[in-house]
Amino acid sequence: MKITEPKIPLVKLVYMLKRATEDWADKQLCCGQQCFNNAHLPMFMSIGTQGISNNTLASKMNVTKQAASKVIKALEADGLVKSEKSPTDARSVMLYLTPDGIKLFEHLKTQVTYLENKYEELVGAENYQIAVEVMSKLIQFHEGMKCPVAI
């Protein structure tokens, strides 16, 4: 009779992957570069090299404008982001990476791409793509269930 291991609950797997990813980020992302709170990473990377409006960023990240502003102020204080009035909408503010922000963005992008490639090597390109699609659908499901949250 074959004894199988008990199935690990999805919530535990997500928690374990989150912790492992955060540990990797703490050790790898900031090597030799200016570093900041890793909780700011998704918002920082969403600004990108072309810039984004504060309203679009908050919507994209599914957070309130106030929560986005709090993170943006911290990134501005770190010298990574600058804000400017929108040339097309006086009520909106555009966010751009500073030269230091662009350097860090490129470094982070390289490190994340390296990790994604390692994941693909580990499980195969097809399984990796399936995993990304499944996680994306689970995120969409949860985002449809709740209101924006503060960070």
Side-chain angles (χ1 to χ4, degrees):
M1 170 188 253
K2 182 178 178 186
I3 299 175
T4 59
E5 297 258 340
K7 184 175 154 184
I8 300 173
L10 179 62
V11 173
K12 183 175 181 181
L13 286 173
V14 170
Y15 172 76
M16 292 168 60
L17 181 58
K18 179 181 180 290
R19 288 211 38 206
T21 304
E22 287 173 348
D23 185 52
W24 173 83
D26 287 341
K27 292 176 182 168
Q28 295 297 320
L29 290 184
C30 298
C31 294
Q33 299 285 328
Q34 177 181 1
C35 202
F36 59 94
N37 183 337
N38 284 336
H40 300 168
L41 181 64
M43 201 165 289
F44 174 78
M45 295 303 284
S46 293
I47 294 170
T49 56
Q50 300 302 310
I52 191 169
S53 76
N54 58 340
N55 294 337
T56 302
L57 180 62
S59 176
K60 184 177 183 178
M61 297 303 300
N62 197 29
V63 298
T64 64
K65 287 184 250 179
Q66 293 81 4
S69 292
K70 183 178 176 183
V71 173
I72 294 308
K73 285 181 182 170
L75 293 171
E76 285 178 320
D78 288 342
L80 300 172
V81 172
K82 64 181 178 180
S83 57
E84 299 175 1
K85 289 276 187 192
S86 171
T88 58
D89 182 357
R91 299 167 296 162
S92 183
V93 174
M94 292 298 296
L95 306 168
Y96 299 98
L97 300 179
T98 64
D100 285 343
I102 291 170
K103 279 192 243 173
L104 181 59
F105 178 90
E106 294 300 331
H107 170 74
L108 296 174
K109 188 174 168 186
T110 299
Q111 293 300 308
V112 169
T113 299
Y114 174 81
L115 181 62
E116 290 172 346
N117 290 337
K118 286 297 189 184
Y119 285 166
E120 277 192 22
E121 287 175 22
L122 179 67
V123 300
E126 185 177 345
N127 284 336
Y128 178 73
Q129 188 57 42
I130 290 168
V132 168
E133 290 171 11
V134 168
M135 286 187 286
S136 295
K137 286 180 182 179
L138 293 174
I139 291 166
Q140 287 173 355
F141 170 78
H142 282 282
E143 286 178 343
M145 293 177 49
K146 62 183 175 78
C147 297
V149 295
I151 293 179

